[in-house]
Amino acid sequence: AYQCVFEAEDKDGHRGVRLSKEIVKVAGKTMEKNMTTLGPYVLPLSEQAKVVVTLAVRFVMKTLNKLFKTKKFPAVKVYVPDFKRGIDHFCIHAGGRAV
């Protein structure tokens, strides 16, 4: 985040904000970290369980591959949870009717 946003003057002397090219990468990493932190609080238990199960299966498959020194056991991708389910549960849509 350091050195991504600058306050500077242009050639006409107007003050403004200048963004570096690194801002997209920094913003992506920050969003990933925030979602990882928020996940256990906003995701339903079914989504959390899917993540835990895939992590456990992945660990077992890697361990078996190392144990037998082979690549017979397939690599399992980590389940990416559906944050929309959790966010929709807690956040009220701004375009909806007042309750």
Side-chain angles (χ1 to χ4, degrees), residues 11-64:
K11 61 183 176 188
D12 297 330
H14 297 130
R15 295 192 78 123
V17 177
R18 184 171 52 99
L19 304 175
S20 76
K21 292 180 181 180
E22 295 293 315
I23 191 84
V24 175
K25 187 166 76 170
V26 170
K29 286 182 180 180
T30 303
M31 287 290 293
E32 181 181 353
K33 186 172 183 171
N34 288 340
M35 287 300 188
T36 303
T37 303
L38 284 175
Y41 298 110
V42 299
L43 287 176
L45 287 175
S46 61
E47 291 292 311
Q48 292 181 31
K50 290 176 185 177
V51 172
V52 170
V53 167
T54 58
L55 286 173
V57 169
R58 185 176 181 177
F59 175 76
V60 168
M61 293 297 180
K62 280 186 173 181
T63 304
L64 289 174

